[in-house]
Amino acid sequence: MLRRMASSAATFKRLVRFVPRSDSSKILIGQPQDDNVDVGIALRKGQDVPVNVFSGSSVLSPGQDTGKSAIIDRVLSPLSMSEVGTIRCIGLNYKQHAAEVNMSLPTVPTVFMKPNTSLGDPWPAPTVLPKITQTDDCGDYESELAVVLGKTAKNVSESDAMDYVLGYTACNDISSRTSQFAQSQWSFSKGFDGACPIGPTLVSPSLISDPSKLHVRGLKNGDVLQDCGTDDLIFSIPKLISCLSQGTTLPAGTLIITGTPAGVGIVRKPKVTIKEGDEFHVEILPHIGTLVNVFENEK
């Protein structure tokens, strides 16, 4: 049985937050006119992506279709830095990933946090590798499904958890492995500026009624390095929302990144890292499409 959706979710199928070609001083919210276009790939190829402009100024309150259209000049993360608060992150949440790192399946979700300053935009904004990551070439990728809450949640049951979902998007949980393995807590190593790019689309639960039936791929410079269904998740989306909300107020706009599948660079032989000039795609199908990031070094 489909659950109720967060209040704004019924008004859209897929939203983008973007700067229009017609006016670089504006940030608009809207819905791509082509329901099937992969926004990230189309923009990377230089194709026009026309959007039906909505009246609202945020995906949290998108308003209605104004009847006007615009062409995307720059696509932005669906949420602004001020809207996400503290980003909730789940580690070790795919069975195949646990196996590749030789760890037992956790019995409760492993939670860490990223600050809102780690939020990043898709290409054409650069994704910056901090100097601390460049020092010994330890940058890594993690393709992830991200969940955005559409209303405040606290002490939510698993059976009611999906009522709070505004939509789904793609995320790259960019990590500095040397810093990660030097500490017992992961927030510092995964919380550098821009280390949580998300987007480009926010997809309504009206299109994704069951988030366990998505497929995630991570591609570096065209090579497929991660390839897994979300049915491999250890803790389901309802379980994560319920767990994170216990004793804790999760405001509307809360961003939850749900873990990465097998295939991360640190366990590959030879090791794979992210360097300046690399291009990484997080592809989540159906509906969400591709988050494109092109890396450059912090100067």
Side-chain angles (χ1 to χ4, degrees):
M1 180 177 70
L2 295 181
R3 303 209 51 83
R4 300 188 313 276
M5 294 176 288
S7 57
S8 296
T11 65
F12 72 90
K13 291 182 287 187
R14 298 195 305 162
L15 288 178
V16 288
R17 179 171 162 265
F18 68 102
V19 175
R21 187 180 296 169
S22 59
D23 189 343
S24 62
S25 67
K26 289 184 177 180
I27 295 177
L28 301 177
I29 303 295
Q31 183 160 276
Q33 291 179 0
D34 182 349
D35 290 342
N36 298 311
V37 67
D38 185 324
V39 173
I41 295 298
L43 292 174
R44 186 65 173 132
K45 291 180 176 179
Q47 299 170 357
D48 287 353
V49 178
V51 174
N52 293 328
V53 177
F54 278 44
S55 58
S57 58
S58 168
V59 296
L60 299 177
S61 183
Q64 304 297 325
D65 190 333
T66 63
K68 299 177 181 179
S69 65
I71 303 294
I72 296 176
D73 182 45
R74 290 188 293 116
V75 69
L76 308 173
S77 60
L79 293 161
S80 68
M81 196 178 292
S82 64
E83 290 175 317
V84 299
T86 302
I87 301 165
R88 269 68 173 186
C89 314
I90 307 299
L92 203 69
N93 196 29
Y94 279 78
K95 300 179 186 73
Q96 293 176 29
H97 179 48
E100 76 175 350
V101 295
N102 297 313
M103 296 183 70
S104 300
L105 298 187
T107 56
V108 295
T110 300
V111 181
F112 63 98
M113 295 187 182
K114 289 177 181 261
N116 66 350
T117 49
S118 69
L119 190 72
D121 292 329
W123 181 87
T127 302
V128 177
L129 289 169
K131 293 178 181 178
I132 192 173
T133 305
Q134 300 170 40
T135 302
D136 59 357
D137 186 25
C138 67
D140 207 347
Y141 54 85
E142 292 192 4
S143 305
E144 306 206 12
L145 172 67
V147 182
V148 176
L149 301 189
K151 58 183 181 180
T152 299
K154 184 176 181 179
N155 294 330
V156 172
S157 67
E158 282 188 56
S159 60
D160 290 336
M162 298 303 284
D163 295 356
Y164 294 82
V165 175
L166 176 66
Y168 304 93
T169 191
C171 172
N172 193 342
D173 176 20
I174 299 164
S175 306
S176 179
R177 296 302 190 192
T178 299
S179 297
Q180 180 181 359
F181 298 147
Q183 301 174 337
S184 61
Q185 301 294 323
W186 301 346
S187 294
F188 176 72
S189 63
K190 292 168 170 279
F192 298 124
D193 292 353
C196 190
I198 64 170
T201 61
L202 181 72
V203 179
S204 167
S206 66
L207 292 183
I208 301 175
S209 59
D210 185 351
S212 71
K213 295 182 178 179
L214 298 171
H215 198 91
V216 180
R217 294 201 308 165
L219 302 90
K220 178 190 171 187
N221 300 329
D223 294 331
V224 178
L225 301 181
Q226 295 181 285
D227 192 347
C228 188
T230 51
D231 57 355
D232 192 54
L233 282 168
I234 297 167
F235 301 105
S236 68
I237 304 304
K239 176 68 174 180
L240 294 178
I241 294 170
S242 176
C243 177
L244 291 169
S245 74
Q246 297 309 303
T248 304
T249 299
L250 302 176
T254 293
L255 177 66
I256 301 169
I257 64 174
T258 60
T260 196
V264 295
I266 191 64
V267 299
R268 288 185 165 271
K269 299 187 186 306
K271 179 180 73 173
V272 175
T273 59
I274 293 291
K275 298 180 177 66
E276 183 171 48
D278 283 338
E279 180 167 330
F280 199 88
H281 292 187
V282 178
E283 175 197 86
I284 306 181
L285 299 176
H287 306 303
I288 293 173
T290 305
L291 168 65
V292 176
N293 295 118
V294 178
F295 289 82
E296 68 177 41
N297 286 338
E298 180 185 23
K299 302 299 191 281

